[in-house]
């Protein structure tokens, strides 16, 4: 086996293995606690079996004929599982599980009858068996797409955000195997295995991102729905001012809201809410006010530092930011402020003479 074939085998096999484990988990661990997950597990399990067998055929073409037909038999249920996955995701409690079981029982009888014909007439049915499986798969893929279109057009809401990614993934895998089976793409079954592995990991990323975004949204909603009482807000403000003055956190040019929240032992959402709702200012404005106040104090006390050096000293990371922020808060420039202070001192001294 060449190095290229080893890489091909590795990615195809690991995709099939992970899909198989995930399918087993959804089917036998979660069971029917969430019906769409059951059908998703069935999709993954049947595709994984087909993919695993495709890899075996590619690297070991002399394997018994019953093995590729077992893979095709598993693929027979992929289309119906996709169709019922979409239907159950939209219908939720209204989904007729009893009728679905009858349909799967009828499909199993059909597969058993066709399989029997193949065993009795292996030479005749050798060519037609794959055609039969792919035809059933095609019918249910198109039926699934139509079902998704109908329910989406009705604007029927569903909490299952994976419906479209799962549908698109199955269509991609279906097209890959169809092209390979027709001979239009000369990669044989391992090409479909690689497509399955790629699509599986893309869906993992989609699921992870959706869960991460959902967790962030829930966290934000949790705190946004809880208004901070005036009494608690006063305590927070006092604590915040005490920390800012005693530790001079504002002098850190890379200071973040989360850093200050950790110091206060509250969440970043609570601190943001305190600043915006109770104090009426953003985090950057609040921090910059402390910086400008200290800058003014240094200018007024006749600091030996240059104006731009004072900006760096109080926490600004650039001269331009210091000047623009000073102008915004004090409505003047640091240089004019220094000159006005000098002029005031001169007048005061003159009046005392």
């Amino acid at each position: 086996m060449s190095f290229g074939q080893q890489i091909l085998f590795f990615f195809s096999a690991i995709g099939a293995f992970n899909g198989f484990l995930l399918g087993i988990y959804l089917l036998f661990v979660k069971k029917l606690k969430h019906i769409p997950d059951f059908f998703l597990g069935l999709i993954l399990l049947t595709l994984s079996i087909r993919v695993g067998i495709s890899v075996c055929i590619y690297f070991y073409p002399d394997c018994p004929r019953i093995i590729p037909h077992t893979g095709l038999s598993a693929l027979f249920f992929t289309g119906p599982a996709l169709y019922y996955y979409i239907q159950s995701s939209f219908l939720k409690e209204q989904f007729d599980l009893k009728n679905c079981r009858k349909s799967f029982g009828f499909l199993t009888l059909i597969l058993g009858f066709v399989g029997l014909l193949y065993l009795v007439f292996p030479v005749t049915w050798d060519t037609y068996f794959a055609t039969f499986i792919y035809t059933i798969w095609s019918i249910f893929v198109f039926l699934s797409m139509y079902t998704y279109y109908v329910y989406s057009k009705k604007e029927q809401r569903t909490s299952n955000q994976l419906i479209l990614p799962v549908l698109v993934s199955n269509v991609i895998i279906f097209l890959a195997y169809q092209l390979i089976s027709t001979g239009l793409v000369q990669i044989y079954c391992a090409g479909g295995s690689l497509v399955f592995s790629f699509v599986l990991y893309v869906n993992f990323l989609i699921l992870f991102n959706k869960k991460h975004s959902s967790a962030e949204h829930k966290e934000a909603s949790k705190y946004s729905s809880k208004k901070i009482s005036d009494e608690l807000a006063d305590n927070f403000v006092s604590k915040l001012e005490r920390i800012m003055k005693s530790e001079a956190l504002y002098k850190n040019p890379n200071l973040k809201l989360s850093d200050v929240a950790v110091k206060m032992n509250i969440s970043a959402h609570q601190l943001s809410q305190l600043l915006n709702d109770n104090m009426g200012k953003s985090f950057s404005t609040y921090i910059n006010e402390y910086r400008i106040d200290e800058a003014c104090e240094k200018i007024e006390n006749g600091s030996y530092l240059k104006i731009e050096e004072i900006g760096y000293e109080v926490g600004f990371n650039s001269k331009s930011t210091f000047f623009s922020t000073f102008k915004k808060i004090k409505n003047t420039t640091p240089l004019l402020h220094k000159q006005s202070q000098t002029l005031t001192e001169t007048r005061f001294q003159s009046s005392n003479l």
Side-chain angles (χ1 to χ4, degrees):
M1 189 185 292
S2 67
F3 178 72
Q5 286 178 318
Q6 289 176 350
I7 294 294
L8 182 69
F9 177 82
F10 173 76
F11 283 109
S12 301
I14 199 171
F17 179 71
N18 287 330
F20 183 81
L21 288 181
L22 188 56
I24 291 292
Y25 169 75
L26 292 172
L27 276 172
F28 300 107
V29 177
K30 295 192 78 173
K31 297 183 180 178
L32 289 176
K33 292 176 183 176
H34 188 232
I35 293 176
D37 283 349
F38 175 83
F39 289 116
L40 182 58
L42 186 58
I43 294 168
L44 286 168
L45 188 63
T46 54
L47 281 174
S48 298
I49 292 171
R50 172 57 177 159
V51 164
I53 290 175
S54 295
V55 175
C56 290
I57 295 169
Y58 181 79
F59 291 102
Y60 306 101
D62 298 327
C63 59
R65 283 189 301 175
I66 192 65
I67 293 178
H69 284 82
T70 303
L72 285 169
S73 299
L75 197 62
F76 176 80
F77 293 102
T78 304
L82 175 64
Y83 169 71
Y84 285 115
Y85 169 77
I86 292 170
Q87 200 178 69
S88 62
S89 296
F90 278 105
L91 292 178
K92 299 173 186 174
E93 292 81 8
Q94 298 175 356
F95 177 71
D96 191 347
L97 185 60
K98 188 177 180 180
N99 185 51
C100 169
R101 283 172 176 161
K102 288 180 181 177
S103 300
F104 266 95
F106 180 68
L107 287 168
T108 305
L109 286 175
I110 293 175
L111 180 64
F113 176 72
V114 174
L116 183 64
L117 286 174
Y118 168 73
L119 291 174
V120 177
F121 310 104
V123 179
T124 310
W125 272 89
D126 191 44
T127 343
Y128 297 113
F129 190 75
T131 306
F132 168 73
I133 297 294
Y134 277 99
T135 302
I136 297 297
W137 192 15
S138 303
I139 290 170
F140 275 99
V141 165
F142 285 111
L143 192 59
S144 301
M145 293 168 66
Y146 176 74
T147 303
Y148 178 81
Y149 171 75
V150 169
Y151 283 123
S152 298
K153 203 166 184 182
K154 286 181 180 178
E155 295 183 352
Q156 188 161 347
R157 293 183 179 180
T158 174
S159 57
N160 189 349
Q161 297 178 323
L162 277 178
I163 300 177
L164 186 57
V166 168
L167 177 61
V168 171
S169 301
N170 273 268
V171 170
I172 291 170
I173 295 167
F174 165 76
L175 290 174
Y177 272 104
Q178 287 288 5
L179 288 170
I180 292 164
S181 66
T182 56
L184 294 174
V185 179
Q186 300 295 329
I187 317 177
Y188 197 57
C189 291
S193 306
L194 285 174
V195 170
F196 170 77
S197 300
F198 173 75
V199 166
L200 179 67
Y201 292 124
V202 167
N203 275 284
F204 273 142
L205 289 174
I206 291 171
L207 178 62
F208 175 78
N209 286 329
K210 283 184 182 295
K211 285 195 171 182
H212 183 67
S213 301
S214 175
E216 286 184 340
H217 178 70
K218 283 180 180 177
E219 182 74 9
S221 300
K222 183 173 78 173
Y223 289 112
S224 62
S225 60
K226 293 180 181 179
K227 183 174 172 58
I228 300 175
S229 65
D230 292 337
E231 183 180 353
L232 186 59
D234 289 340
N235 290 333
F236 280 163
V237 169
S238 300
K239 187 175 181 180
L240 178 60
E241 290 177 351
R242 186 170 63 254
I243 290 172
M244 292 302 293
K245 288 175 182 177
S246 62
E247 300 189 26
L249 298 177
Y250 54 86
K251 288 188 176 182
N252 177 6
N254 300 313
L255 185 67
K256 297 175 184 175
L257 184 140
S258 56
D259 299 332
V260 181
V262 169
K263 290 283 185 182
M264 291 185 65
N265 198 26
I266 63 174
S267 74
H269 292 291
Q270 282 181 304
L271 178 55
S272 178
Q273 192 175 14
L274 175 72
L275 290 165
N276 287 281
D277 296 346
N278 298 86
M279 302 178 70
K281 58 185 71 175
S282 66
F283 176 71
S284 60
T285 300
Y286 180 78
I287 297 301
N288 284 335
E289 283 177 353
Y290 270 97
R291 290 169 176 166
I292 296 302
D293 283 345
E294 180 158 343
C296 288
E297 195 176 314
K298 288 182 178 297
I299 291 171
E300 290 162 11
N301 290 337
S303 172
Y304 64 88
L305 296 172
K306 296 178 180 178
I307 296 250
E308 55 268 25
E309 290 175 341
I310 290 175
Y312 292 119
E313 179 72 16
V314 297
F316 289 100
N317 51 18
S318 73
K319 176 182 174 181
S320 58
T321 306
F322 171 51
F323 278 39
S324 61
T325 306
F326 198 103
K327 173 81 172 174
K328 183 179 179 181
I329 293 176
K330 294 297 181 180
N331 202 27
T332 185
T333 65
L335 184 60
L336 288 175
H337 181 75
K338 184 176 183 179
Q339 290 174 350
S340 67
Q341 290 300 314
T342 304
L343 184 60
T344 303
E345 287 177 6
T346 304
R347 285 177 179 174
F348 178 77
Q349 290 172 0
S350 300
S351 64
N352 288 334
L353 291 175

